[in-house]
Every structure is written in C-alpha cells, then in structure tokens.
Amino acid sequence: MNDIKKTAPPRSFVSKINITDKGGFVTNPHTFEEYYVSHVFLKGALDKDTVKVRISETKQFQSTAKIERVLSRYTQTFTAKLFAKKNQLAASIYPYQSKPITIKENLVNASIGDLVKIKIIDWRENHKTAYAKTLSIISSDSDVGSDFLFISGRYGLDDLPIIKIKKKEQVKYESMLTNQSTNRVDLTEIPTITIDPDTARDFDDALSIEKKKYGYDLYIHIADVSYYVKEGDLVDKNAKIRANSYYFPEKVFHMLPEILSTDICSLIPGKNRLAFTLKVEMDTSYSIIKHSFFESTINSNERLTYTEVSKVLQGSSSSHHSESLNMLNELTISLKKKRLNTGLSFTHHETVFIGDQISNINSNLTKEEDSHRIVEECMLIANKIAAREIIGFSKKNNLIGVFRNHDIPNQKNEIYIKNIIAKFSKKRSDSKRLTAKLINEFIDKYEGTDLQNIISIILIRRMNKAFYSTKNIGHYGLGFDEYTHFTSPIRRYADLVVHRILKQQLNNLNTLPESVIICNHGERKAKLASRDYIKLKSLKWLDRQGDKTFQGIIINIKPSFVTICETVTEIIGFIDVKTLPRDSYAVSSNRLALVGKFSKNRYEIGSKVDIKIDKIDILNQNVSFRIQ
C-alpha cells in the first residue's frame, strides 16, 4: 500500500492585500485566517488591491499563499518618487513594488528625485509595467519635509477619512462632560498625575496612589473614550478605519477627531475629565488583594515629563508629588522584579530625527529608566487585570474577547538563541528549556555596555511578533498567562473595544473577528510607517557623511552576506561576502560565524567592525557596507 500523504486540495478566496515589506497579508473572509504572500507570488498586486488568492499545502502541511490575479485596483492615483530607469522616468510608490510604473506623460515637468502625485493611465494587466502621468509636484528631494510627505503618502495617511466636529457636536461632547452620570465615582480630590514624554500630544492615562493600613491603593485612570464614542457612530467607524494614531515630528494623524484626542477625552491637568478607572488594592509586599473597574471623574493635578520625574526620584529636583512618586517607584520596582521571573527585559533603543539632524537618545532613556518603569509597570498590570476580567466574562457567558498574544519562539529560533547565549557566555549550549530568567541573566551581564542594545536587537529578531486575537494564548515576552490592551483608547482602536467589553456595552460580538484583523493591520501599518520614516532619515544622514568610517556590529550570518547594525543610526545593512578579503567562506555549524577556509578570518555575531558605506539605495531603503 502506498502510504505517501497526498497534498491537501488547494483553496481560493477573495481578499484585499495589505503590503508589508516585500510581501503582503491576505485574509480568508470565511475563516478569518491570515496568510502571508511572498513578493514572488504577488503577481503585480499593490497595497489594498482586491485579489483572488490561492492556498496550497505542501506535504509538510505548510500553507503557501499565491495571488492568482488582481480583481480590482484600490486606487488610480499615488504619491511617488521619480527615478531614472533605462532612459525613462519611472515612479516608486514604495520599496519593491510588484508592479513597476513608467511615466509616459510628464505634464508638470517633474525631475528625478521629485515627490509627485501620479495617475495610472493604463494598468496593462497582462504586462509587467503600468503607464502613468504626473499630476503635480509635491516636493523636491532636497526639501526637509520630503521624507515625511513620502511616508504619509505611501501609507495613505492623508487619504484617511476626516471627521470635522462642528460647533453643535462639540457642544454635545462638552455637555456630556459637564452632565456626568450620577453613577460615576468622584475622584477629583485624590492627588493625580500624568507622566509622559516631553512631546506628548494626548494623555490617555493618569496615576494616583494612597497609603493604607493594609498597604496601598493604586488607581490607574484611563481616558473614558467609550463614553463619548458610541459603537457604530460616525466617529467610531472612522476610528475603526484608522485603527491607530500615527505620530511623526511634523504631524500627528489622530485616530479620533482632534477635539476629542487632545482636549475632551485627554486627561489634561487642571480640568475635570471622565475616566475608566482600575483601582488595585495591594498589601505591603505589593501583592494584589482585590481590584475593581469603574467609571470616574478625575482632575489631574499636574502633567509631569519622564525627565522631571527622574530628577525628583534621583533627588536633584523637588515636587509637590514627591511622596506619590516615591511610593510609585517602590511599587513598580517590586512589580518589575516579580514580572521578570517569567518575562523578558529588553533594553529601550530609539533614534530621533529633528529635521535632518539625528538625536540618538539611548543615554537619556537610561537616565530616565525609573520614570519609564513607573508608567510601564502600571500599564502592564492594568492590561493584565483587564485580560483576566475579559476571560471571566467569556467563561461565564461563552463569549470571545480581544487579547494581545505573543507566542513562544519556534524550535529553530530557540536553538539559535541558546547558541547566542552560549557564544557570549563562552559556555556550551544548554539543553535545558529556554526560560526568561536565562535570557534576562544573559542580557544583564552587558548592562551599560555598547553590546546591550545590539544583543537585544539580535534576540528580538528571533522572537515572534505580538498580535491581537479573539482567543487568549498568553504573552511570552511579558511572562503573562493573559494580556490585552486597555490603557490607550485615544490612540488604539483595540483598547476602545476592550473598554466596551469590560463595560459589557459591546452590542455586536460578531464584529470582533473583523475588528481584530483591522487592529492587527492598523498596528502593523503604524509601526512600518514609523520604521520607514526613521530608515529614510538614517539613509540620508549616512549619505551626507561621505567617506567616513563607522562602527558596525554583526547581527546575523548568511552564506552570501553578513547583516550588520551601524551603531549611530542603528540602521540594519548588509555586507556582501564577495567584498570580504578573498577566500572561500563557510557558515559555522552553530550559524554564528563566517569562517575563511584558508585565511581563517572569522566574522562572528556580536563582533565590532569598522565599516564604510558601499552603496545606498534610497528607493528600496537599503544600505550595503564594506569592512574597512
């Protein structure tokens, strides 16, 4: 008898495609399963096009998604960067677009490098290239704002629907604020503060803490957006489409109308504001005794920045809220210590551009670690408790919820991480299960060194991505058995949905699977837009440095190239093996080094090397280096 397993029959469905990096995601509308389509199988599809998808399963039961054909184009007009291709003018709407576009009619005399608005005049669906005409010049390549305009155009942020709140509607919201429900708990007399970055434009959360005989009462106040934005109303529909707020130095694209985001919903100081409060009673060892969610009215006494809070905690500044801040500091030190028994602790790293000037703020984040910890740990415990509450509702009523999941690393990545730890620790790879404690102890050895951020980057690249789901599987990175997003309803639609679930005000539970897909797409889009903005700025900054020598740290090894992180911008680039000193190179058995057969030259993960720029590709947002 032939026992060879046959492949499962192919399946097909119609979906919109959401382009990310070189490929894109499609969703089966019947099962809500999401599939990734590799760049080689896009068949000319562009972002948000409607496509017919074919799913095939291999003998190993792995699914492969391919685009059979494009059914309809999402739009005819695009924001594009012009470049020269074979003596013709071509248009780049984003890196590695699967349908090349040639400019056939340059009606506005645009030049190479200009950012322009174009319109497709012939899709030529049976050909490789589409034809377009230029409509207007948005900016020249040398304009400081060009990168922002390109990214906002690439992700369609300017095309998102906008709801302008008329005076009559503004009065309605203001009256809702004034005529508070009698069931709302008045907390306006409790000392309350917000802690945010210097540049914060909206305030989702505020904190209060009181000393009690049994320990402490911790209040985590979250903007009560669901009180103003009702399920299915016009503002809600618009927020669902946006799914996230998008933050850039030049502009913020708010998820909600600005009057709600920055004023009526925002927990600004000195004004009564409506909140959805979580009260957590803790004993003197900071263990939770009990908790409760309720609608409240608060009045934030002061808006503090991370810098100001850190100065108070370090004793270099004073504040009317010093007592509260010191209690919050001690409480969150304990919460974090407990959490890190099962959760991971990666370092913060962030590069900021003001105009075209770089500001690497890693050192500031280290100095402000205590103030960041206060906010982070309070928000984490709130999100964890909210998830538990939803699970309680779900079990009682046989319902689904919205959860923020993070799966464990697969076996291949677990082995790789163990090998990384063994290499840096100069020990043999441990056969024991990979635990958060093992990873944290390893990272802690490099605290305060140049390698701390790089090791975090290496390990994060081997972790699964967190995602929203209607089913809870826990959050591996945080070490929580259950987790959701509850604390940012002004800027994340998922949090707004969670508020409605907690208040038992979600009328149509059947919309949750669709909402989860939209939230995943929105979050992915917001992260990619921010990442691409920083990448463009970084590439242009590097380009201006000329023949300067930089320091790079090797973060991955492949037979044909070495992946490297440049330490100023933290941009990821590549070194072609062909540019290394002449030799025959092979990857080591643990895949952590590239070794020359004759010279015995070794290029190891974590090694620092002096590098120079080989080539910068602005269109595809790539940089290649060569070792100096």
Side-chain angles (χ1 to χ4, degrees):
M1 181 178 175
N2 190 345
D3 59 356
I4 297 175
K5 294 179 180 178
K6 294 182 179 180
T7 58
R11 293 162 287 159
S12 62
F13 56 85
V14 174
S15 170
K16 279 195 173 185
I17 186 161
N18 289 276
I19 298 296
T20 57
D21 291 324
K22 295 182 182 180
F25 287 92
V26 291
T27 303
N28 187 324
H30 308 293
T31 64
F32 295 106
E33 289 178 281
E34 194 172 54
Y35 298 90
Y36 180 75
V37 183
S38 170
H39 179 263
V40 295
F41 299 133
L42 287 176
K43 211 162 186 178
L46 299 178
D47 194 31
K48 295 188 183 66
D49 285 348
T50 300
V51 296
K52 187 172 183 182
V53 186
R54 188 178 184 84
I55 306 295
S56 301
E57 288 188 358
T58 65
K59 292 178 181 179
Q60 290 75 35
F61 296 101
Q62 292 179 327
S63 297
T64 301
K66 299 179 181 180
I67 304 302
E68 284 193 333
R69 66 180 184 275
V70 177
L71 298 178
S72 64
R73 297 290 181 176
Y74 174 71
T75 184
Q76 307 293 319
T77 59
F78 299 91
T79 299
K81 183 83 74 171
L82 297 186
F83 67 101
K85 186 177 181 182
K86 295 181 180 178
N87 299 320
Q88 294 190 84
L89 209 54
S92 171
I93 55 177
Y94 51 77
Y96 302 103
Q97 68 194 51
S98 64
K99 184 78 172 181
I101 300 171
T102 299
I103 300 298
K104 283 296 182 181
E105 300 176 22
N106 187 6
L107 305 177
V108 295
N109 295 319
S111 304
I112 292 170
D114 284 349
L115 188 65
V116 297
K117 187 69 76 174
I118 65 168
K119 184 175 183 178
I120 303 296
I121 55 178
D122 188 352
W123 278 107
R124 303 175 77 238
E125 296 293 9
N126 295 322
H127 298 79
K128 184 179 179 181
T129 307
Y131 292 158
K133 63 181 179 181
T134 57
L135 298 177
S136 62
I137 298 174
I138 299 171
S139 72
S140 68
D141 190 43
S142 59
D143 291 345
V144 174
S146 179
D147 299 327
F148 162 71
L149 293 170
F150 178 69
I151 295 300
S152 63
R154 181 260 179 270
Y155 288 98
L157 303 183
D158 290 312
D159 299 327
L160 290 170
I162 297 173
I163 295 180
K164 293 184 178 179
I165 300 297
K166 296 177 182 177
K167 186 65 179 176
K168 182 180 178 182
E169 292 163 317
Q170 184 174 333
V171 170
K172 180 192 79 172
Y173 287 127
E174 289 170 348
S175 67
M176 290 174 72
L177 173 58
T178 306
N179 304 324
Q180 299 147 22
S181 169
T182 54
N183 294 326
R184 198 169 282 269
V185 179
D186 187 351
L187 299 178
T188 54
E189 297 302 315
I190 295 179
T192 300
I193 55 172
T194 61
I195 306 173
D196 291 281
D198 294 357
T199 56
R201 284 119 164 184
D202 44 53
F203 307 105
D204 281 290
D205 56 87
L207 298 171
S208 306
I209 189 168
E210 292 185 319
K211 188 81 174 72
K212 297 291 182 181
K213 288 182 180 179
Y214 50 77
Y216 303 90
D217 282 351
L218 172 65
Y219 295 86
I220 301 165
H221 313 287
I222 307 300
D224 196 358
V225 176
S226 66
Y227 181 78
Y228 299 100
V229 181
K230 302 303 181 183
E231 183 183 357
D233 72 14
L234 195 58
V235 173
D236 181 56
K237 288 177 180 177
N238 183 63
K240 190 173 182 178
I241 291 170
R242 290 172 174 252
N244 275 81
S245 292
Y246 300 83
Y247 297 90
F248 300 93
E250 294 87 348
K251 183 179 179 179
V252 177
F253 297 89
H254 293 285
M255 183 182 79
L256 301 173
E258 192 166 354
I259 187 68
L260 293 178
S261 293
T262 62
D263 187 359
I264 291 173
C265 291
S266 188
L267 306 182
I268 53 182
K271 293 188 177 182
N272 283 6
R273 286 293 180 262
L274 306 186
F276 192 26
T277 293
L278 168 62
K279 179 183 177 182
V280 187
E281 296 180 19
M282 296 183 175
D283 62 23
T284 52
S285 62
Y286 306 111
S287 295
I288 296 174
I289 301 169
K290 63 179 181 178
H291 73 268
S292 57
F293 289 93
F294 52 87
E295 294 178 333
S296 67
T297 305
I298 69 165
N299 191 311
S300 172
N301 298 91
E302 190 172 356
R303 180 251 164 137
L304 297 171
T305 67
Y306 287 126
T307 306
E308 290 168 341
V309 171
S310 290
K311 286 180 178 178
V312 172
L313 295 176
Q314 292 159 13
S316 60
S317 181
S318 60
S319 168
H320 296 301
H321 307 287
S322 294
E323 185 179 359
S324 291
L325 289 172
N326 283 313
M327 282 193 286
L328 286 167
N329 189 41
E330 292 300 319
L331 182 148
T332 53
I333 287 172
S334 176
L335 289 179
K336 185 170 184 177
K337 186 177 179 181
K338 290 177 183 178
R339 181 173 64 79
L340 293 186
N341 288 327
T342 55
L344 300 174
S345 177
F346 291 121
T347 58
H348 294 279
H349 47 274
E350 186 177 357
T351 303
V352 172
F353 282 90
I354 301 169
D356 282 334
Q357 299 304 308
I358 191 170
S359 173
N360 194 305
I361 61 172
N362 292 342
S363 57
N364 291 339
L365 284 170
T366 302
K367 293 173 186 174
E368 297 169 8
E369 183 181 356
D370 45 10
S371 56
H372 281 266
R373 183 205 341 100
I374 286 175
V375 176
E376 187 176 75
E377 294 302 323
C378 287
M379 298 308 113
L380 289 177
I381 199 72
N383 288 333
K384 180 180 178 179
I385 292 172
R388 283 184 180 173
E389 198 84 356
I390 292 172
I391 289 171
F393 291 155
S394 301
K395 286 180 178 178
K396 188 184 294 184
N397 303 303
N398 196 27
L399 302 173
I400 55 177
V402 173
F403 301 97
R404 182 70 173 170
N405 293 331
H406 184 225
D407 210 349
I408 61 174
N410 61 34
Q411 187 177 18
K412 180 181 176 182
N413 285 333
E414 182 172 333
I415 292 169
Y416 185 89
I417 292 169
K418 284 181 179 178
N419 287 338
I420 287 283
I421 294 173
K423 177 199 176 306
F424 281 90
S425 304
K426 295 182 170 56
K427 296 178 182 177
R428 281 190 173 186
S429 182
D430 201 330
S431 60
K432 294 179 183 177
R433 180 174 168 267
L434 184 68
T435 63
K437 185 179 179 183
L438 180 68
I439 295 173
N440 291 338
E441 287 175 351
F442 168 60
I443 293 173
D444 287 347
K445 291 178 183 176
Y446 297 93
E447 187 173 358
T449 70
D450 293 341
L451 279 175
Q452 188 178 20
N453 271 351
I454 301 302
I455 288 172
S456 291
I457 290 172
I458 292 170
L459 297 184
I460 288 169
R461 284 165 66 92
R462 293 288 169 167
M463 296 287 169
N464 288 311
K465 299 285 191 296
F467 61 96
Y468 295 109
S469 175
T470 57
K471 296 178 181 178
N472 173 61
I473 65 167
H475 198 293
Y476 172 77
L478 295 173
F480 291 160
D481 292 331
E482 58 283 308
Y483 193 65
T484 190
H485 274 165
F486 158 76
T487 55
S488 298
I490 289 177
R491 63 183 179 89
R492 286 191 307 232
Y493 192 75
D495 302 52
L496 177 54
V497 175
V498 165
H499 279 224
R500 289 172 180 154
I501 294 172
L502 290 171
K503 292 183 178 185
Q504 300 184 52
Q505 292 177 353
L506 191 66
N507 298 319
N508 192 353
L509 288 168
N510 294 328
T511 63
L512 278 184
E514 180 197 23
S515 294
V516 161
I517 290 169
I518 290 169
C519 290
N520 278 323
H521 288 167
E523 187 220 17
R524 198 181 293 135
K525 182 175 171 179
K527 284 186 175 179
L528 287 172
S530 177
R531 185 202 67 180
D532 287 355
Y533 176 88
I534 296 296
K535 190 184 285 187
L536 265 180
K537 290 290 187 185
S538 297
L539 288 171
K540 290 189 175 181
W541 183 85
L542 286 172
D543 199 31
R544 292 195 298 273
Q545 306 311 304
D547 198 38
K548 185 178 177 181
T549 299
F550 299 92
Q551 188 178 79
I553 298 180
I554 296 171
I555 63 171
N556 200 19
I557 300 287
K558 294 287 184 182
S560 59
F561 62 87
V562 173
T563 307
I564 199 150
C565 179
E566 190 277 315
T567 56
V568 177
T569 62
E570 291 193 350
I571 195 168
I572 307 298
F574 304 92
I575 295 174
D576 193 324
V577 170
K578 293 175 184 176
T579 67
L580 297 177
R582 193 171 179 183
D583 204 337
S584 177
Y585 290 94
V587 179
S588 62
S589 58
N590 64 3
R591 309 197 68 77
L592 301 183
L594 193 69
V595 184
K597 182 178 180 180
F598 304 106
S599 65
K600 303 303 179 186
N601 285 338
R602 290 180 67 87
Y603 300 96
E604 298 182 308
I605 287 180
S607 297
K608 296 179 183 179
V609 290
D610 289 332
I611 54 174
K612 285 196 172 185
I613 297 165
D614 183 42
K615 183 182 178 183
I616 291 176
D617 182 352
I618 295 291
L619 289 177
N620 289 317
Q621 295 176 23
N622 280 333
V623 58
S624 58
F625 298 103
R626 64 182 187 276
I627 289 180
Q628 180 62 11

